[in-house]
Amino acid sequence: MADLSANFIGIKSPNPFWLASAPPTDKAYNVIRAFEAGWGGVVWKTLGAEGPPIVNVNGPRYGAIWGADRRLLGLNNIELITDRPLEVNLKEIRQVKRDWPDRALVISLMVPCDEESWKDILMRIEDTGADGVELNFGCPHGMAERGMGSAVGQVPEYIEMVTHWVKHYSKMPCIVKLTPNVTSILPPAMAAKRGGADAVSLINTIKSITNVDLDNFSPFPMIDGKGSHGGYCGPAVKPIALNMVGEIARHDETRGLPISGIGGVTTWRDAAEFMAMGCGNVQVCTAAMTYGFKVVQEMISGLSQYLDEKQMTMPQLVGRAVPNFVEWQHLNLNYVTKAHIDQEACIKCGRCYAACEDTSHQAIAMGPGRVFTVKDEECVACNLCVNVCPVDDCITMVPMAAGSIDPRTGRRVGGFADWTTHPNNPMAAKAAE
Amino acid sequence: MTNSPLTPGIVSARLPATALAANFADHAPILDPHEAQVAADRCYFCHDAPCITACPTGIDIPLFIRQIATGTPEAAARTIWSQNILGGICARVCPTETLCQEACVREAAEGKPVEIGRLQRYATDLAMAQGHPFQRAAATGKRVAVVGAGPAGLSCAHRLAMKGHDVVVFERRPKAGGLNEYGIASYKAVDGFAQREVDWLLSIGGIELRCGVELGRDVTLSALRADFDAVFLGIGLQGVNALRAAGEDLPGVRNAVDFIAELRQAPDLAALPIGREVVVIGGGMTAVDAAVQAKLLGAETVTIVYRRGQDRMSASKLEQDLAVTAGVRLLCHAAPVRVLGQDRVEAVEFAYTQDRPEGLSLLPETFTLKADQVFKAIGQQLAGLPEGLEAAQGKIGATPARIFAGGDCAAGGEDLTVTAVAEGRDAAEAIHAALTAA
């Protein structure tokens, strides 16, 4: 069994699977159940400033989209930060950390954007024994309208300023949780780094409306005939999260900044992908909300088996895909592949044909007896047929050997050459004359 | 009740009423909405889908399943009915395992086809409750006679009515529906479904139904030809093939189709007599329907005896399995040589057979099965060719102008409800074309 114990910015946990700050971590009862199930750590649901707790709606808080068999693919929520008194949360945090010393316990925070408020909350949590804080600069609904959450996360200067306060008034490790509701994730990440953050975590939820009620003409979740946007999460957001994680992991200014990966982690495989893209650990919410806390056991066994099979340690996995995450202009334009259909595996549904014929390059022939074959002279290797095929590994992309002739272009498959040197590129680098 | 499965002879009430009710309940009830959603989600929406090609009526199956998946079963039903107006009964009786579901790519992929038949029932049952979806075109003033109110005739009549023609349907039996009403196992169409579907179909208007009128007895083809602009014959196969074995006229020996019809019309199943030891001779759907229902009525032993190998039975594998599951024994490679008995059937003597490329032959070895009731299910035939028509393959062949034929009585196509519906529909289109040609 591979060693899954993790040390993330000095915070130790028996495995890299933490529960994200969210409804599953709102109180001791849930957190204890999570630890009993095997979760390595939790980020306690966001605490606010002292005073009357915030309130939540009393109608539906979640909306969803589903795949086949009502498999939950995306979840949207309009729940706010904790609606329990600050003192109750602090008391429970203290007790849970005392009872579960080997688990990571990080506290998510969100208070008004002034120095006194942050100083005050940090003093209050200092003696809970918690392992660190996570600054919630990501929540896109409800709190953002009050100048908190993503309203801070969308202004790099605010991120830097608040992070600086936190590092000034507290010795605790500080994770800055970023919002994806920005045009580029890099300026917020850079700001966090400048402010002294020990790590960033991302992504928080994406502003969203999951659906519109077509009888009442209201966005959903619908509260008494009205709806507001919520925050979107779950398997559907994973591609967006992976890209943002990768952008931070590879950028000159942010490279090496520890990342806690969040966004649709549902299986060990998702977790491994986030780690390969540069995350030191992952945080999970929707998978636990969908299937219960037990899912962590599959994540643990799966990641462990994968590392064993690859004869790799977990630190060797972290960031392993980052050097291969390049910009488009650095992709090898001389790399030529052709789709190949395995006739034994083919069940003759013809979806590849419909997709290619109607929407792509007319590169699949339909022969007598519903035999589908690729026309190499037309195939641009777009991969759409692979994506729409319902059978695993039935259609594959086969690379052409260097030196062979691509029947589509009539040109010989050559060595590496990318757009930066392509003759059609007016900006192409030219050899010195 | 004093009788049991062990009571000798042909007697009624072998099982208590509760057992009979359970045995003859809907054998494949309608899917609930979630089941339908899950089943519909499995459809791959194939290009030029093989299931459509395999359906004799050419229903756009991927489209109707997608319409179910997106919460519009009414639209799905319309897609079905636009090709097959008897989509409701076909969803119940079609041998989907040898038609659309056999062609389903998921059958090839994993041996579990999309449940097309049950999805079709889901859509049509829901939508039928909302009334008739089609309207008639402007009246053409043309009149068409349809002989036979079975699947072919009803399909033809509906399409003609929809096109604006006036239709009179002549049916020899007291009720419309043909084999839907008289010829299929009771548990496949419970709660009077066949009649409800007929009523729903006729509610398009423009179709007059005259039951109890038989061609050749009460009305002649030449008279119909004189009175109407066109005639469609969907008279089915009323004759039953004989065993050609000595003793087949003994009491206790009867046609399986008559038993099936009687059972379908029986107001009280407990009053229906059935033998203790029942032998069914034949290898098709009729044999299976008769045998299974004999068992469900409480017969102690029911044996289907078929002269060729099991793989040659025209009843599908699913039907064979249904029979075996019900407790029916299948005996293959045996042909009846003699029905034995004094005043009534007591046993049947069979010879073993050999099925070779040059033909089927009887072997000298024989065996005898005890039987107090024997059902003959070795096929039906045309009961006499209507006046002035040509025969082909023992059925109605080419027809003169303004006379059309379809369904089991007409040459070509398999003898299936769904094929009859397709032929009736296509004949209606041909009649319409002929009547509206300038």
Side-chain angles (χ1 to χ4, degrees):
Chain A
M1 284 284 280
D3 179 14
L4 296 188
S5 65
N7 182 338
F8 185 75
I9 59 171
I11 304 172
K12 293 189 174 126
S13 58
N15 62 57
F17 305 112
W18 293 5
L19 282 173
S21 167
T25 62
D26 188 34
K27 55 186 184 298
Y29 181 84
N30 306 65
V31 171
I32 291 166
R33 282 179 67 84
F35 285 161
E36 285 168 350
W39 288 89
V42 303
V43 182
W44 201 278
K45 186 171 165 77
T46 307
L47 308 184
E50 193 177 22
I54 64 95
V55 293
N56 271 303
V57 294
N58 297 295
R61 297 178 190 187
Y62 302 111
I65 64 164
W66 295 274
D69 203 5
R70 262 180 89 87
R71 179 172 291 255
L72 191 116
L73 298 180
L75 192 67
N76 158 298
N77 87 88
I78 57 168
E79 183 171 302
L80 303 185
I81 63 172
T82 185
D83 52 13
R84 305 191 314 148
L86 178 61
E87 275 311 319
V88 173
N89 277 307
L90 294 177
K91 189 167 162 241
E92 289 184 4
I93 290 168
R94 196 177 293 119
Q95 187 63 44
V96 169
K97 184 62 202 179
R98 188 171 300 158
D99 295 342
W100 298 85
D102 70 322
R103 308 301 171 95
L105 204 169
V106 171
I107 303 174
S108 174
L109 299 174
M110 182 198 289
V111 295
C113 205
D114 62 73
E115 191 166 352
E116 277 308 307
S117 296
W118 283 95
K119 181 181 171 186
D120 182 65
I121 188 78
L122 287 163
M123 283 168 58
R124 287 173 172 278
I125 65 171
E126 196 93 279
D127 68 339
T128 57
D131 297 299
V133 294
E134 183 180 79
L135 314 187
N136 182 343
F137 295 159
C139 188
H141 51 85
M143 304 308 287
E145 292 90 323
R146 304 177 203 179
M148 292 181 268
S150 64
V152 177
Q154 287 165 337
V155 183
E157 292 77 9
Y158 291 172
I159 295 175
E160 182 177 349
M161 177 177 73
V162 176
T163 307
H164 184 76
W165 293 337
V166 171
K167 289 308 291 181
H168 182 70
Y169 291 111
S170 165
K171 293 188 176 57
M172 285 196 282
C174 168
I175 304 167
V176 172
K177 186 165 180 177
L178 301 178
T179 175
N181 299 299
V182 290
T183 44
S184 169
I185 199 68
L186 290 171
M190 291 171 185
K193 192 179 180 191
R194 283 196 304 274
D198 297 288
V200 289
S201 57
L202 68 157
I203 58 174
N204 205 309
T205 56
I206 302 169
K207 282 176 82 161
S208 61
I209 293 169
T210 47
N211 58 294
V212 174
D213 184 309
L214 289 176
D215 296 315
N216 296 291
F217 302 98
S218 159
F220 200 87
M222 179 173 67
I223 307 292
D224 194 19
K226 310 274 185 207
S228 67
H229 76 263
Y232 197 42
C233 57
V237 311
K238 182 186 127 185
I240 297 164
L242 276 178
N243 174 62
M244 290 184 164
V245 162
E247 284 194 74
I248 294 170
R250 76 175 176 188
H251 194 273
D252 284 343
E253 279 188 47
T254 47
R255 186 178 298 134
L257 179 64
I259 304 171
S260 184
I262 310 169
V265 175
T266 308
T267 67
W268 71 267
R269 193 178 288 275
D270 300 323
E273 291 175 19
F274 271 90
M275 295 176 95
M277 282 305 266
C279 297
N281 72 4
V282 292
Q283 297 184 30
V284 177
C285 173
T286 309
M289 293 181 85
T290 310
Y291 303 108
F293 288 143
K294 201 169 98 176
V295 285
V296 73
Q297 290 160 20
E298 162 269 306
M299 295 181 190
I300 291 167
S301 64
L303 182 61
S304 179
Q305 182 180 331
Y306 169 76
L307 292 172
D308 285 346
E309 284 168 4
K310 292 282 177 191
Q311 298 189 309
M312 202 191 287
T313 66
M314 207 163 68
Q316 287 171 333
L317 169 62
V318 174
R320 196 150 180 159
V322 177
N324 296 326
F325 179 38
V326 299
E327 289 176 347
W328 190 93
Q329 59 183 338
H330 298 306
L331 298 174
N332 183 4
L333 296 175
N334 282 347
Y335 176 71
V336 180
T337 69
K338 298 290 175 188
H340 176 263
I341 301 172
D342 177 350
Q343 298 299 334
E344 289 290 301
C346 177
I347 60 171
K348 305 187 190 301
C349 69
R351 293 218 312 216
C352 58
Y353 175 84
C356 194
E357 194 69 12
D358 287 355
T359 70
S360 197
H361 292 77
Q362 297 76 47
I364 293 179
M366 180 173 170
R370 300 181 67 84
V371 174
F372 298 94
T373 47
V374 176
K375 295 185 252 179
D376 283 354
E377 64 278 16
E378 303 293 342
C379 178
V380 303
C382 73
N383 211 43
L384 182 62
C385 55
V386 173
N387 296 142
V388 302
C389 178
V391 180
D392 280 336
D393 296 326
C394 174
I395 309 181
T396 47
M397 283 294 160
V398 181
M400 294 191 70
S404 53
I405 304 285
D406 178 351
R408 184 175 71 87
T409 60
R411 286 202 287 272
R412 201 167 290 281
V413 178
F416 183 93
D418 65 18
W419 176 245
T420 62
T421 57
H422 197 277
N424 290 13
N425 179 2
M427 313 289 281
K430 293 206 170 59
E433 294 183 12
Chain B
M1 190 193 82
T2 52
N3 291 328
S4 84
L6 305 184
T7 308
I10 302 175
V11 300
S12 59
R14 288 185 180 274
L15 296 176
T18 49
L20 287 173
N23 284 354
F24 285 89
D26 203 347
H27 79 141
I30 185 170
L31 298 171
D32 72 30
H34 179 69
E35 289 173 321
Q37 183 72 42
V38 172
D41 277 340
R42 293 186 67 238
C43 174
Y44 284 146
F45 206 72
C46 294
H47 171 76
D48 190 13
C51 53
I52 305 177
T53 313
C55 174
T57 55
I59 294 171
D60 191 338
I61 293 164
L63 177 60
F64 95 66
I65 292 180
R66 194 171 168 84
Q67 288 166 323
I68 291 174
T70 55
T72 52
E74 303 80 3
R78 201 182 166 95
T79 300
I80 294 161
W81 287 326
S82 66
Q83 289 293 112
N84 178 340
I85 197 63
L86 292 170
I89 195 78
C90 286
R92 291 161 165 81
V93 305
C94 255
T96 52
E97 65 279 7
T98 61
L99 296 171
C100 53
Q101 292 184 192
E102 183 180 57
C104 177
V105 300
R106 297 200 79 146
E107 171 66 26
E110 61 212 81
K112 289 197 184 80
V114 174
E115 291 182 285
I116 299 167
R118 297 191 75 187
L119 285 166
Q120 179 164 318
R121 173 164 175 191
Y122 176 78
T124 51
D125 275 16
L126 289 185
M128 235 178 88
Q130 297 177 19
H132 193 92
F134 297 107
Q135 288 186 331
R136 299 186 67 196
T140 61
K142 304 285 186 185
R143 295 175 72 242
V144 182
V146 168
V147 185
L154 289 170
S155 166
C156 184
H158 183 272
R159 184 58 64 105
L160 288 168
M162 203 163 82
K163 299 274 186 190
H165 309 296
D166 289 324
V167 185
V168 179
V169 179
F170 300 92
E171 168 58 44
R172 70 181 185 97
R173 300 223 207 207
K175 288 190 209 169
L179 291 181
N180 296 350
E181 177 59 36
Y182 295 97
I184 55 172
S186 193
Y187 47 79
K188 290 180 181 171
V190 300
D191 300 331
F193 178 78
Q195 280 313 296
R196 279 194 285 127
E197 191 178 40
V198 168
D199 293 343
W200 166 88
L201 179 146
L202 295 178
S203 68
I204 190 171
I207 305 172
E208 183 195 339
L209 180 63
R210 292 186 198 161
C211 287
V213 182
E214 185 171 349
L215 185 69
R217 185 189 71 190
D218 307 309
V219 65
T220 63
L221 186 54
S222 51
L224 290 177
R225 222 178 154 186
D227 289 352
F228 290 87
D229 295 296
V231 181
F232 175 76
L233 299 171
I235 54 178
L237 301 174
Q238 299 308 330
V240 175
N241 293 340
L243 290 181
R244 286 176 300 203
E248 74 173 294
D249 297 327
L250 278 172
V253 180
R254 68 187 298 208
N255 294 326
V257 290
D258 296 335
F259 165 63
I260 291 168
E262 185 186 354
L263 194 151
R264 275 297 293 280
Q265 302 305 315
D268 177 15
L269 291 173
L272 200 66
I274 190 73
R276 175 183 178 183
E277 282 146 327
V278 176
V279 169
V280 181
I281 299 167
M285 303 280 253
T286 301
V288 170
D289 281 358
V292 170
Q293 294 193 106
K295 190 72 193 162
L296 296 179
L297 281 174
E300 185 194 0
T301 64
V302 180
T303 310
I304 290 178
V305 185
Y306 177 55
R307 60 192 175 138
R308 299 181 194 272
Q310 197 176 337
D311 56 322
R312 296 284 303 274
M313 288 178 77
S314 63
S316 69
K317 180 73 173 52
L318 191 90
E319 290 286 329
Q320 294 171 29
D321 291 348
L322 182 74
V324 172
T325 306
V328 172
R329 182 165 63 137
L330 297 186
L331 250 176
C332 295
H333 291 296
V337 288
R338 230 163 1 141
V339 180
L340 306 168
Q342 289 297 324
D343 304 324
R344 51 176 302 102
V345 58
E346 289 164 18
V348 185
E349 185 183 335
F350 291 91
Y352 289 100
T353 65
Q354 204 167 35
D355 195 7
R356 288 184 161 166
E358 57 268 26
L360 189 80
S361 56
L362 301 187
L363 295 174
E365 292 88 352
T366 63
F367 65 94
T368 301
L369 280 186
K370 227 173 126 185
D372 44 30
Q373 193 166 30
V374 174
F375 293 125
K376 299 184 282 183
I378 55 172
Q380 285 105 259
Q381 54 175 308
L382 199 59
L385 194 65
E387 47 177 301
L389 294 185
E390 286 175 31
Q393 303 148 34
K395 296 186 173 187
I396 299 174
T399 48
R402 298 194 296 111
I403 295 183
F404 300 78
D408 290 358
C409 70
E414 285 191 82
D415 290 350
L416 294 172
T417 303
V418 65
T419 306
V421 174
E423 291 174 0
R425 176 200 69 194
D426 295 346
E429 292 290 347
I431 291 167
H432 175 70
L435 296 187
T436 54

